[in-house]
Amino acid sequence: MADQKRAVTPEDIKKIRVVHDPHLSSDGEKYAYVQTSVRNDREYNSHLFIHHFTDDIPVQWTFGEVRDHSPRWSPDGTELAFVSNRSGVHQLWVMSAAGGEPRQLTSLKHGVSDPDWSPDGKYLLFTTSARADEDIFSHEESPDEYETKPVKIERLRYKSEGNGFHRGRRTQLALLDMKSKETRILTSGAFDHHSARWAPDSRQIVFSANRNPDEDVSSVLDLFIIDTETSDTVKLTDSTGVFSNASWSHDGHRIACIGHELEYQGATLNQVWIINPLTKERRCVTIKWDVQIGDAAVSDLRAGQADLSPVWAKDQKHLYFSASENGNTGIYQMDLEGEITPVHEEDNHVFGFSYHPRLDFFIAGISDPSNPGDFYKIEKPEKGKVRLTDVNADFIQSVHLSIPEPVAAKAEDGWDIQGWLMRPAFFEEGQHYPLLLEIHGGPHAMYANTFFHELQMLAAQGYVVLYTNPRGSHGYGQTFVNACRGDYGGKDYTDLMTAVDQVIEQYDFIDEERLGVTGGSYGGFMTNWIVGHTNRFKAAVTQRSISNWTSFYGVSDIGFFFTDWEIGARVHDDPDKLWDHSPLKYVQHINTPLLIMHGENDYRCPMEQAEQLFTALQYLEKPTMFLRFPQSGHDLSRNGAPGLRVERLKHMAAWFEKHL
């Protein structure tokens, strides 16, 4: 019975199992995937599961207090390679398809990532990192190696969110010979190499890198081909854009990739490109489709979207890829002239897929607002999808979920703004409820028809939850996503306020005297901006936010180019513009009780952004509280320590309860 279900709680984040990264075997009889669950307040477990289509349920293949991920079937289907930290550092391991214990393949000092089998099965390609002239085949480094040593910094890009200080290390491609078990570093130089994939001849590899002298300042990403026998390297693109996630046609005559030419800097839509590896001729085949290629959906269950390369059909006349439009992420088929046909286009979120070219079917990971995510088999568009897993059945059956209602707002200048409204759990007609406005980060991202635990938890606390995609969001074309650049706090702000006004007018159960607002990253910036420009909200929670663009320029891992891209100024040539767009400038106008939450290891929006805002508010005796989360980065809400994720939600709920 529905009335026997309980409300969603902050602690439920520990109960949800997250599945991702499906990979079909070459015979098409089974697929492997990763399932992540909470181990304790500090750690997660990630294990590999195998699902034979003749079996009703998947079988768990790896066990223990470990993080196993990136499963990759050998071309003949006899082995499954994967990455695991079971030896302490993430290394390559392999298991027989018949079962048995995993065998360790690498012992590199800084670990490995992104494995890919050669088509002949003789090699495993992967990435690793190293400093110049460093012996990465020696013993593993001590975790305390750098704690008592100064950090020598000689380059602009010396740190990054998720990786911390680079300490001179660069990402290189490496080959493991499966017969001799010897590893050879394939690339070299003071450059980072990514997204490497084999050609059908098992000799050439296409990869992405910025090998230009100004690579620290420039944001371009080129495609290269390297010959694994001679190490000869050919550059395919001409440093005019960002190209990655390449895949070879089955005959090796063409390469498909995802990219753009930075026409709108970081707000440029991704497109699908076809490149002739011999002539280097390239053409954009989705140029007529005003849609973001790839997964732009945001959720608090997945940190970052899967970087899926375009997949070639068996006939080599069609490609498959994901794209994000109008709050949905689906799978699409395209011929080489740019004619696009939906394969799966529903009100949900495809967070990954694997395609079998010979048997012509997909395994797709799909989430919607009532399901954190499961796998489905999709044979043909007209046949729909067949559900294969039900990994969160116990959780879903035990809780009352609020199903979002689509809402549409008309901006002041006539632009259409899409959003969703969630009624409070156990909603009762005739009652009046406070409203919370949620604002996503990015800003070039997209709220979507996907599961969002935080939103469900707030609805369970008795709030109406409103979340929208204001201009600057993905999913509505190039003009829309570019529209906030140079105008942060302008029409993106009025889009949000207009949406609030219109849902209040439309829904008579909203108490317009009890409004709250929260958001993270860009959403945290906008939360700070809102409370500095209106007193209509009675409580606010700002998370991993930006408060001062002038200092952000020099402290964020992306600040030196992001401020120019998004605000339109650099600190050395127009500090006034950066200050005009900084919420800190308007701190004297903030009267809304503001909870500031920030991770101490955030390299994207560093802690000083929160400290400046809190210090100013405290000095002015404004109602505020500051929560610092130890050993937590920018993705605290998505992949931080489970216990801290729960604490974050509890404090958010308590703050709104106190002030609303």
Side-chain angles (χ1 to χ4, degrees):
M1 296 291 292
D3 58 1
Q4 293 178 324
K5 294 187 175 183
R6 62 173 179 83
V8 175
T9 68
E11 290 83 358
D12 282 329
I13 200 70
K14 296 182 179 181
K15 298 181 175 67
I16 297 174
R17 300 179 180 93
V18 179
V19 295
H20 56 101
D21 203 13
H23 279 268
L24 280 158
S25 60
S26 57
D27 59 13
E29 295 179 357
K30 55 189 176 296
Y31 64 101
Y33 67 90
V34 182
Q35 180 172 300
T36 299
S37 58
V38 171
R39 182 192 312 169
N40 52 43
D41 278 348
R42 299 180 60 184
E43 301 290 343
Y44 299 86
N45 289 329
S46 294
H47 295 126
L48 306 185
F49 284 70
I50 308 295
H51 191 186
H52 289 259
F53 294 119
T54 54
D55 297 337
D56 292 334
I57 60 174
V59 176
Q60 184 172 342
W61 262 41
T62 62
F63 300 85
E65 296 185 349
V66 295
R67 298 297 298 268
D68 298 332
H69 58 91
S70 305
R72 303 291 185 265
W73 293 102
S74 62
D76 62 6
T78 61
E79 292 184 301
L80 182 68
F82 62 99
V83 178
S84 177
N85 69 346
R86 57 186 59 223
S87 64
V89 177
H90 289 273
Q91 304 288 357
L92 269 179
W93 294 69
V94 70
M95 295 179 69
S96 168
E101 291 298 315
R103 307 187 309 277
Q104 187 170 348
L105 297 176
T106 60
S107 297
L108 299 182
K109 191 172 184 179
H110 303 298
V112 309
S113 61
D114 197 19
D116 189 39
W117 288 89
S118 61
D120 61 12
K122 294 180 179 180
Y123 299 94
L124 267 169
L125 169 68
F126 58 90
T127 59
T128 189
S129 62
R131 296 187 296 276
D133 303 321
E134 180 182 21
D135 181 9
I136 62 172
F137 298 96
S138 65
H139 63 83
E140 295 173 358
E141 65 179 284
S142 164
D144 301 324
E145 180 179 346
Y146 297 112
E147 289 189 0
T148 59
K149 294 182 179 181
V151 180
K152 184 179 180 180
I153 297 169
E154 297 181 298
R155 58 174 298 216
L156 181 59
R157 295 180 189 256
Y158 68 91
K159 62 181 179 180
S160 60
E161 175 60 32
N163 296 310
F165 289 160
H166 298 164
R167 303 186 188 277
R169 293 193 292 264
R170 292 298 194 135
T171 303
Q172 307 292 353
L173 306 184
L175 286 183
L176 172 69
D177 187 316
M178 292 301 294
K179 183 177 181 180
S180 68
K181 299 300 187 288
E182 293 182 355
T183 295
R184 173 166 62 100
I185 306 302
L186 191 60
T187 55
S188 61
F191 308 109
D192 295 307
H193 306 81
H194 307 281
S195 292
R197 292 296 178 262
W198 287 97
D201 63 6
S202 294
R203 176 170 172 170
Q204 298 181 94
I205 291 169
V206 62
F207 65 90
S208 296
N210 184 345
R211 288 186 163 190
N212 297 307
D214 64 346
E215 56 104 15
D216 259 10
V217 176
S218 167
S219 295
V220 305
L221 201 58
D222 288 303
L223 287 181
F224 297 81
I225 294 175
I226 187 169
D227 186 303
T228 59
E229 295 184 11
T230 66
S231 295
D232 292 340
T233 303
V234 176
K235 185 178 179 182
L236 292 179
T237 52
D238 49 10
S239 299
T240 59
V242 177
F243 299 94
S244 63
N245 301 105
S247 61
W248 298 77
S249 60
H250 302 299
D251 59 11
H253 294 165
R254 286 167 294 189
I255 292 173
C257 69
I258 304 295
H260 59 73
E261 295 194 305
L262 290 164
E263 296 95 327
Y264 303 91
Q265 305 294 358
T268 313
L269 293 182
N270 281 332
Q271 302 284 356
V272 177
W273 298 72
I274 302 292
I275 300 177
N276 184 320
L278 294 180
T279 66
K280 303 181 186 179
E281 177 188 1
R282 72 174 183 268
R283 61 188 180 95
C284 180
V285 286
T286 53
I287 191 65
K288 296 180 181 179
W289 200 36
D290 195 20
V291 170
Q292 170 71 353
I293 305 301
D295 181 7
V298 295
S299 166
D300 57 354
L301 297 185
R302 305 176 190 281
Q305 285 67 45
D307 292 325
L308 287 175
S309 302
V311 179
W312 290 87
K314 183 181 179 180
D315 64 9
Q316 303 187 96
K317 297 179 180 179
H318 296 87
L319 288 164
Y320 298 105
F321 54 86
S322 62
S324 300
E325 184 177 26
N326 297 323
N328 301 309
T329 299
I331 304 173
Y332 296 86
Q333 172 187 284
M334 181 194 65
D335 65 25
L336 301 190
E337 301 306 316
E339 185 68 28
I340 296 170
T341 305
V343 174
H344 174 84
E345 188 179 52
E346 297 180 3
D347 290 339
N348 51 35
H349 170 209
V350 175
F351 54 81
F353 71 84
S354 180
Y355 173 69
H356 199 290
R358 178 171 56 85
L359 300 177
D360 197 24
F361 74 91
F362 299 81
I363 298 298
I366 301 175
S367 173
D368 62 43
S370 64
N371 184 1
D374 275 301
F375 293 115
Y376 297 78
K377 186 175 183 179
I378 301 174
E379 294 190 76
K380 292 292 181 181
E382 61 269 18
K383 291 186 178 180
K385 60 185 188 293
V386 177
R387 186 169 184 163
L388 300 174
T389 63
D390 197 3
V391 299
N392 287 293
D394 292 344
F395 166 72
I396 293 173
Q397 292 169 8
S398 66
V399 296
H400 179 93
L401 297 176
S402 178
I403 304 304
E405 305 172 27
V407 295
K410 185 71 71 174
E412 292 180 341
D413 55 4
W415 287 30
D416 293 320
I417 307 301
Q418 183 186 24
W420 295 263
L421 182 137
M422 295 171 64
R423 300 186 184 218
F426 311 108
F427 172 83
E428 295 182 11
E429 293 286 353
Q431 298 295 316
H432 286 79
Y433 299 93
L435 178 140
L436 296 182
L437 172 65
E438 281 263 7
I439 309 169
H440 67 63
H444 310 307
M446 179 182 77
Y447 275 135
N449 287 303
T450 192
F451 191 89
F452 216 116
H453 171 257
E454 178 180 317
L455 306 185
Q456 292 289 347
M457 185 277 297
L458 291 172
Q461 296 283 328
Y463 300 105
V464 178
V465 181
L466 173 66
Y467 52 108
T468 69
N469 286 324
R471 68 192 69 194
S473 303
H474 271 308
Y476 311 94
Q478 183 62 79
T479 301
F480 193 93
V481 74
N482 188 58
C484 71
R485 292 179 61 227
D487 189 40
Y488 274 42
K491 290 184 178 179
D492 51 354
Y493 165 66
T494 59
D495 284 351
L496 293 164
M497 295 302 96
T498 299
V500 170
D501 291 337
Q502 293 183 15
V503 298
I504 289 174
E505 182 178 352
Q506 182 178 353
Y507 295 95
D508 59 8
F509 53 79
I510 297 174
D511 185 347
E512 61 181 304
E513 298 300 318
R514 292 191 292 162
L515 304 180
V517 59
T518 186
S521 196
Y522 164 81
F525 156 81
M526 185 54 71
T527 298
N528 298 338
W529 186 268
I530 285 171
V531 296
H533 287 78
T534 179
N535 292 323
R536 68 184 301 189
F537 293 89
K538 305 307 179 188
V541 179
T542 185
Q543 308 169 60
R544 57 190 184 280
S545 72
I546 297 169
S547 66
N548 184 351
W549 288 106
T550 308
S551 64
F552 179 87
Y553 176 93
V555 297
S556 168
D557 64 336
I558 63 172
F560 63 92
F561 66 85
F562 192 79
T563 51
D564 186 28
W565 283 8
E566 297 296 317
I567 306 302
R570 301 180 181 92
V571 71
H572 52 270
D573 58 20
D574 195 356
D576 290 341
K577 182 170 178 58
L578 295 180
W579 183 239
D580 288 343
H581 287 275
S582 297
L584 193 64
K585 177 179 179 178
Y586 310 96
V587 70
Q588 288 179 292
H589 304 302
I590 297 177
N591 296 306
T592 303
L594 181 63
L595 171 61
I596 302 169
M597 301 198 293
H598 219 102
E600 291 189 340
N601 292 352
D602 192 333
Y603 286 83
R604 184 59 41 86
C605 298
M607 175 62 75
E608 60 86 33
Q609 293 289 305
E611 291 174 329
Q612 290 188 69
L613 183 59
F614 176 73
T615 298
L617 289 170
Q618 279 288 92
Y619 184 84
L620 295 171
E621 298 183 337
K622 301 299 181 83
T624 186
M625 186 170 77
F626 187 14
L627 277 177
R628 303 170 64 113
F629 291 85
Q631 299 180 344
S632 299
H634 198 64
D635 280 332
L636 165 66
S637 65
R638 295 179 281 265
N639 66 2
L644 293 181
R645 292 173 70 188
V646 172
E647 286 298 311
R648 168 186 161 272
L649 293 171
K650 284 183 175 180
H651 281 283
M652 180 191 300
W655 188 259
F656 284 129
E657 182 179 11
K658 177 181 178 181
H659 296 285
L660 293 182

